[in-house]
Amino acid sequence: KSDSTYDYIVVGGGTSGLVVANRLSEQKNTTVLVIEAGGSVYNNPNVTDTLGYGKAFGTDIDWAYETTDQEYAGGSSQIVRAGKALGGTSTINGLVYLRAQAAQIDAWEAIGNKGWSWKTLLPYFKKGEQLQDPAKYPVLDGSGISFDPAYHGFTGPLKVGWPSTQLNDGLAQKLNATYQNLDVPVQFNRDPNSGDMVGYSLYPKTLDYELNIREDAARAYYYPYQNRTNLHVWLNTHANKITWKDGHEATADGVEVTLSNGKTTVVKASREVILAAGALKSPVLLELSGVGNPDILSKYGIATKVNLPTVGENLQDQMNNGLQFESKKSHADGKSSDYVSYPSAVQLFPNSTALGADLLRKLPSYAAQVASANGNVTKASDIYRFFKIQWDLIFKDGIPVAEILLSPYGNVYSSEYWGSVPFSRGSIHLSSADPTAAAIIDPKYFMLDFDFEAQVQAARFIREVFNTEPLGDMAGAETTPGLSTVPADADDEAWADFIKGKYRSNFHPITTAAMLPKEIGGVVDTSLKVYGTSNVRVVDASIMPFQVCGHLQSTVYAVAERAADIIKGRL
Ligand code: FAD
């Protein structure tokens, strides 16, 4: 193996990596190697079980990255999960297939990424997708499912749809009535994947309806194509760093890897090295390869190949909390449904206009706080621009400011939720020149008070929903946190212990190798090429310049589909 040369080496056989490897190897004269630290999980029931969310957590296919102690959020560290397997995080995630509000992707272009907008990404959402039409499955009749075919693909590799275990007991319709009865009603949204997410919906999942198993990136993009002789995958192989051609220019010529037998070797790439190791690994691989902030690299004895100080900055995630209520009725075993609502600022905040004005005044100081936390590597004036765009998205474009899930099981209604667009930004950097050492991950959860206010207000919103008929009559007492822990009329302060003590990472880290113009802190350009290199790209969640209101995977798949066309020279 050690003396082979490939045209392209894709580092990370996860959600994005397998898309790119598949599309590049469609060209018969092009050789592609995928390097994946994990193994195959084709027959792993913790992966395949569509009702098994969480079963893989803490097992050997979970990287379980740990953050630093979070000083603005109760002082404890958090575990940020990510899949270590062929298929990456798509093998352990919650299957949710929800995209973004169109305006959020348009903001990618507005900040300077020409060619990246909802209009140019929608064809790639569709290209990857194989929506299994629920009309073909009578068992789903009455479940309340709907979609608009104009926004979906039906022939792509990735199966998306609703499971046969979907409840059709009338709850969907009762929830709809409940949302209509709110003081500020939330309307039914027939298809939240249409670029307009606001409203109440039933969303599709990445699953194979016929087999009733999870659909992950490996099942969609690798296994059906594994006989291609020009597509190789090395499992249980750890990428350590990029190797460079001699000379001034930063031109990658391979990747140093540690093979499954423990031997370290270099595998050569004649055209490009493509990083797809995830938002909590790709920036660290850049740093290990000498691409980053010289002050950080020199601490660990790594020579700077490309001076690009914003590698690993701008780390954004969301914070997840959950409320629970008793259900008067017991829900059938082996059935599961999830209902989502996406309130806009006007629907979530009783005083939206005043709150928006107040937040606008605070943005300069928010930006200064983020900049000073990272030693002004990201400039306050640039962060302010990002924040002003985010403010416009919230208060002018009316994007969702929270995601509220409702899942009935047994005698419980569980309602997980999160503010969709926190402002806090942290960082990730290496802690050693040892490629297996844990990185220093600091998302700075709850650093900025708007993030906390949104998280509190979403909890109040959920309480209102559960106090509104007909759901109000179907639900019993609130068991988490419960009115004795957080009283009905609790002010923000009274919510703090619960929210900051019980939150978890929402597992949606992004922006650690941001696609942005270089002068405002970008790590990759609009062709996803790392600034200062001639042939290194990043194609995973790291490049997303702003958070999206859906979950990440659909956007990760679409970005990778588009990346493949860029690499093939089609765009
Ligand atoms: P990944 O899919 O993580 O791929 C990275 C790959 O690189 C992995 O296979 C990894 O093993 C490999 N790798 C890393 N380092 C190395 C190295 N040094 N050498 C070799 N290989 C390496 N999104 C949704 O849309 N819906 C959901 O329901 C949802 N739920 C989620 C639940 C959880 C628990 C988690 C963790 C995430 C969830 N997400 C969800 C988010 C979404 O799944 C991820 O954002 C997305 O899959 C990330 O894709 P990626 O290509 O960036 O990285």
Side-chain angles (χ1 to χ4, degrees):
K1 272 181 181 174
S2 56
D3 40 48
S4 16
T5 299
Y6 293 86
D7 291 319
Y8 295 96
I9 297 180
V10 177
V11 177
T15 316
S16 55
L18 290 180
V19 175
V20 170
N22 175 310
R23 296 302 184 189
L24 292 179
S25 62
E26 285 175 343
Q27 311 173 116
K28 291 203 174 54
N29 54 352
T30 301
T31 56
V32 180
L33 171 66
V34 176
I35 297 168
E36 171 51 48
S40 165
V41 289
Y42 192 81
N43 292 315
N44 183 334
N46 294 339
V47 171
T48 50
D49 181 357
T50 59
L51 298 178
Y53 181 60
K55 282 188 182 167
F57 295 180
T59 70
D60 60 355
I61 67 162
D62 177 7
W63 285 97
Y65 298 119
E66 188 172 6
T67 71
T68 57
D69 292 346
Q70 291 300 290
E71 61 172 308
Y72 305 100
S76 305
S77 65
Q78 286 285 326
I79 297 296
V80 189
R81 306 201 179 278
K84 183 181 184 180
L86 192 64
T89 304
S90 73
T91 68
I92 68 164
N93 73 14
L95 309 176
V96 179
Y97 185 90
L98 280 163
R99 299 170 181 167
Q101 185 87 2
Q104 293 185 292
I105 308 293
D106 290 342
W108 298 11
E109 184 151 61
I111 195 68
N113 296 306
K114 200 163 177 299
W116 288 89
S117 62
W118 174 257
K119 191 164 164 261
T120 63
L121 205 55
L122 182 59
Y124 292 100
F125 280 112
K126 290 161 93 169
K127 181 178 184 183
E129 183 184 15
Q130 185 184 134
L131 186 75
Q132 301 154 102
D133 186 346
K136 289 194 191 139
Y137 307 111
V139 65
L140 298 174
D141 285 355
S143 59
I145 289 165
S146 65
F147 69 97
D148 181 344
Y151 295 99
H152 292 273
F154 297 88
T155 56
L158 184 74
K159 292 195 173 110
V160 171
W162 287 268
S164 53
T165 49
Q166 185 89 12
L167 283 172
N168 48 8
D169 61 352
L171 178 59
Q173 293 75 5
K174 292 213 169 86
L175 276 176
N176 191 16
T178 304
Y179 279 111
Q180 305 303 315
N181 287 339
L182 294 177
D183 283 348
V184 184
V186 170
Q187 302 301 333
F188 182 68
N189 181 349
R190 180 179 166 218
D191 194 336
N193 282 313
S194 63
D196 180 7
M197 311 197 77
V198 174
Y200 155 71
S201 307
L202 282 75
Y203 57 84
K205 297 182 170 186
T206 42
L207 55 82
D208 182 324
Y209 179 91
E210 300 286 350
L211 300 178
N212 188 30
I213 56 172
R214 170 194 297 270
E215 177 82 341
D216 58 46
R219 278 188 189 270
Y221 283 91
Y222 177 66
Y223 291 114
Y225 308 89
Q226 61 183 326
N227 291 333
R228 285 183 189 166
T229 52
N230 59 335
L231 172 60
H232 289 186
V233 172
W234 291 1
L235 296 179
N236 304 305
T237 303
H238 192 272
N240 299 334
K241 60 179 174 183
I242 298 165
T243 59
W244 305 100
K245 266 199 184 118
D246 287 343
H248 274 309
E249 233 202 1
T251 301
D253 67 359
V255 178
E256 182 195 291
V257 299
T258 301
L259 301 169
S260 52
N261 63 9
K263 211 182 122 208
T264 294
T265 183
V266 172
V267 51
K268 294 282 182 188
S270 58
R271 296 179 79 166
E272 295 194 7
V273 172
I274 298 163
L275 298 185
L280 300 180
K281 243 336 164 14
S282 290
V284 181
L285 280 163
L286 285 173
E287 291 185 327
L288 288 164
S289 314
V291 181
N293 183 344
D295 293 340
I296 294 174
L297 303 187
S298 60
K299 268 200 259 177
Y300 307 108
I302 297 171
T304 300
K305 185 77 187 171
V306 179
N307 180 346
L308 198 54
T310 51
V311 170
E313 298 300 333
N314 290 305
L315 169 59
Q316 304 184 57
D317 190 9
Q318 297 152 326
M319 293 77 74
N320 180 305
N321 283 101
L323 272 60
Q324 287 199 353
F325 297 80
E326 289 167 354
S327 165
K328 290 182 186 162
K329 167 185 155 184
S330 181
H331 296 97
D333 251 8
K335 292 263 182 186
S336 153
S337 285
D338 303 284
Y339 307 90
V340 70
S341 78
Y342 281 118
S344 64
V346 197
Q347 291 168 328
L348 189 76
F349 296 110
N351 51 349
S352 168
T353 309
L355 183 87
D358 182 49
L359 178 61
L360 191 58
R361 278 190 296 273
K362 285 182 184 158
L363 290 187
S365 87
Y366 276 18
Q369 245 182 291
V370 171
S372 108
N374 62 49
N376 296 302
V377 166
T378 53
K379 288 208 255 3
S381 54
D382 297 330
I383 302 286
Y384 177 78
R385 281 182 64 192
F386 308 152
F387 284 177
K388 179 60 177 34
I389 286 184
Q390 188 157 319
W391 189 92
D392 286 342
L393 287 168
I394 300 172
F395 294 99
K396 288 188 173 161
D397 298 307
I399 65 166
V401 278
E403 171 162 338
I404 316 283
L405 292 167
L406 191 141
S407 323
Y409 62 90
N411 281 77
V412 174
Y413 291 109
S414 168
S415 188
E416 282 192 7
Y417 76 91
W418 54 92
S420 4
V421 278
F423 283 75
S424 303
R425 288 179 178 226
S427 63
I428 171 168
H429 293 293
L430 79 185
S431 67
S432 159
D434 173 358
T436 61
I440 302 165
I441 302 172
D442 184 4
K444 300 219 180 293
Y445 294 119
F446 292 112
M447 177 169 68
L448 301 171
D449 54 8
F450 173 80
D451 302 352
F452 174 65
E453 281 165 39
Q455 204 72 1
V456 170
Q457 195 52 41
R460 291 194 183 113
F461 177 88
I462 293 170
R463 281 186 167 177
E464 190 196 337
V465 173
F466 276 88
N467 274 320
T468 302
E469 299 310 323
L471 180 64
D473 197 37
M474 298 155 62
E478 178 186 303
T479 50
T480 307
L483 295 178
S484 55
T485 307
V486 184
D489 55 354
D491 61 12
D492 286 8
E493 230 9 73
W495 276 99
D497 280 353
F498 168 68
I499 287 188
K500 295 184 178 175
K502 297 279 191 250
Y503 84 105
R504 63 164 172 82
S505 160
N506 201 38
F507 310 140
H508 289 171
I510 56 162
T511 327
T512 51
M515 174 174 67
L516 287 171
K518 183 162 189 254
E519 58 281 7
I520 58 172
V523 173
V524 300
D525 65 17
T526 54
S527 69
L528 305 182
K529 199 175 280 178
V530 177
Y531 289 110
T533 75
S534 65
N535 65 345
V536 177
R537 295 193 216 236
V538 184
V539 296
D540 58 30
S542 321
I543 69 97
M544 291 166 57
F546 294 110
Q547 193 53 272
V548 290
C549 287
H551 298 222
L552 294 183
Q553 68 171 342
S554 55
T555 304
V556 168
Y557 279 116
V559 165
E561 284 280 11
R562 190 165 193 274
D565 266 0
I566 292 172
I567 298 167
K568 284 170 158 178
R570 293 190 180 165
L571 287 178

